[in-house]
Amino acid sequence: SVRRYADAILADSSQSDCHELVKNMLNYGAASQSYFGYNSNHLANDGIAVEAATVPAEGGEVTVSGKAQGIRFYGASLVHENKIAVRFYFTAESLEGISFGEYKYAKKNGMYYVEFADINPQDLDVAYTVSVSDGSDTLSVTYAPLDYIIRMYNKGGASAELVQALYGYYLAAEAYTAA
């Protein structure tokens, strides 16, 4: 299991350079379990102490520029699955004359979205841009997963602990890959 593998790494002093990364990964896993109500009697971080990350008070803004007739940016979100993904949501009556360029889009709940999937934890600060055109004008939206984390943490509510744990995982992954 992931926990047994993590325990083996944590017990091995020759791998001490990745101990904080492993602890924060387990902490994020436990926060995910709690948030999604999955196996919450056996949290991934049971018995492991992790200091809560301090999420910045500033940030979390979406940059929107230009416009495209017939389509409007609705919002962005993170998908917490096997890997992290950021989604950009758009509303439109139809997509006639609308181009997402190189991006593939899907439809969900009456909205269209473009997804950037398989984001590694150390790359949560990377900003993604989606440009949508109506043939003559372009609407561009730029957003980083880190922006979502900051916005949702500062908003409070049920997902605050989850995004705080994800932020800690990001910091530990960034430190590990920079070493």
Side-chain angles (χ1 to χ4, degrees):
S1 72
V2 171
R3 177 58 193 256
R4 280 194 293 268
Y5 182 65
D7 285 342
I9 292 171
L10 294 171
D12 185 350
S13 61
S14 71
Q15 296 190 55
S16 63
D17 59 328
C18 64
H19 284 183
E20 285 305 309
L21 175 61
V22 171
K23 288 178 187 179
N24 277 281
M25 176 193 69
L26 292 173
N27 194 53
Y28 171 58
S32 296
Q33 286 176 265
S34 295
Y35 182 78
F36 293 109
Y38 175 78
N39 201 15
S40 54
N41 293 332
H42 296 82
L43 295 176
N45 67 348
D46 278 341
I48 295 175
V50 177
E51 187 175 329
T54 303
V55 179
E58 300 292 320
E61 301 302 317
V62 178
T63 303
V64 180
S65 61
K67 63 180 178 173
Q69 195 70 15
I71 193 158
R72 185 176 71 83
F73 174 67
Y74 180 81
S77 71
L78 282 189
V79 178
H80 303 263
E81 292 180 352
N82 292 340
K83 283 205 173 181
I84 300 297
V86 64
R87 284 187 183 164
F88 294 80
Y89 289 92
F90 299 88
T91 58
E93 292 289 323
S94 82
L95 292 185
E96 186 176 330
I98 302 294
S99 169
F100 285 87
E102 64 190 77
Y103 311 106
K104 292 183 180 179
Y105 65 88
K107 189 172 184 179
K108 182 177 181 179
N109 298 329
M111 289 186 271
Y112 300 94
Y113 70 87
V114 172
E115 179 176 285
F116 294 91
D118 300 331
I119 301 170
N120 292 314
Q122 69 272 17
D123 297 327
L124 294 176
D125 60 341
V126 173
Y128 296 88
T129 300
V130 174
S131 296
V132 184
S133 173
D134 63 10
S136 57
D137 294 315
T138 301
L139 167 68
S140 293
V141 181
T142 302
Y143 199 59
L146 189 56
D147 295 323
Y148 180 85
I149 291 168
I150 294 168
R151 185 170 52 92
M152 294 309 292
Y153 180 77
N154 291 323
K155 186 177 180 181
S159 68
E161 182 182 330
L162 176 63
V163 296
Q164 182 179 30
L166 180 56
Y167 185 72
Y169 186 29
Y170 154 73
L171 291 175
E174 187 177 52
Y176 178 75
T177 58

